[in-house]
Amino acid sequence: SEWFYSELADPVYEGMVKDFSDFHDTLQAIHEHVEAFLGGAESFAGGIQALSGCAAANLATLRDRQLVSDSCKFQEAANQIVHAEAPHSAMAKLRRNLDFN
């Protein structure tokens, strides 16, 4: 950028400005893709929760105690991994890390 008509452009400064601009554009493109990825991950997490809840609810009435126990363990494990409000779930950690970085 020239401030005065008689001032010559500094190629080093102009190069740095262009590099920062390119870097900013790259970060914006990455951010858009990360948001799309996170939306897909949250959709997947919702599906896992629905599946585990359905399995636990429908298998709870069976006589096979091992199957009932395993379906409850599946639901508990799914909640520990994907439940958004659980502070130590993988989804909550992913969201915090993406928001922080």
Side-chain angles (χ1 to χ4, degrees), residues 5-35:
Y5 290 112
S6 63
E7 184 178 324
L8 297 175
D10 181 359
V12 174
Y13 174 77
E14 294 297 326
M16 288 175 57
V17 169
K18 183 186 178 319
D19 289 345
F20 279 121
S21 178
D22 292 346
F23 180 68
H24 175 74
D25 294 343
T26 300
L27 286 179
Q28 289 295 335
I30 290 171
H31 176 71
E32 290 173 11
H33 286 88
V34 166
E35 286 298 319

Side-chain angles (χ1 to χ4, degrees), residues 24-94:
H24 175 74
D25 294 343
T26 300
L27 286 179
Q28 289 295 335
I30 290 171
H31 176 71
E32 290 173 11
H33 286 88
V34 166
E35 286 298 319
F37 166 77
L38 191 55
E42 288 173 344
S43 176
F44 176 73
I48 292 292
Q49 278 189 301
L51 176 64
S52 67
C54 178
N58 289 321
L59 297 175
T61 60
L62 296 179
R63 292 182 193 196
D64 185 348
R65 292 287 168 211
Q66 184 64 44
L67 193 55
V68 172
S69 174
D70 288 347
S71 68
C72 288
K73 288 177 187 176
F74 174 51
Q75 185 176 24
E76 290 172 7
N79 284 334
Q80 289 177 354
I81 295 168
V82 300
H83 199 273
E85 286 80 35
H88 299 294
S89 73
M91 285 303 297
K93 288 179 182 179
L94 177 62

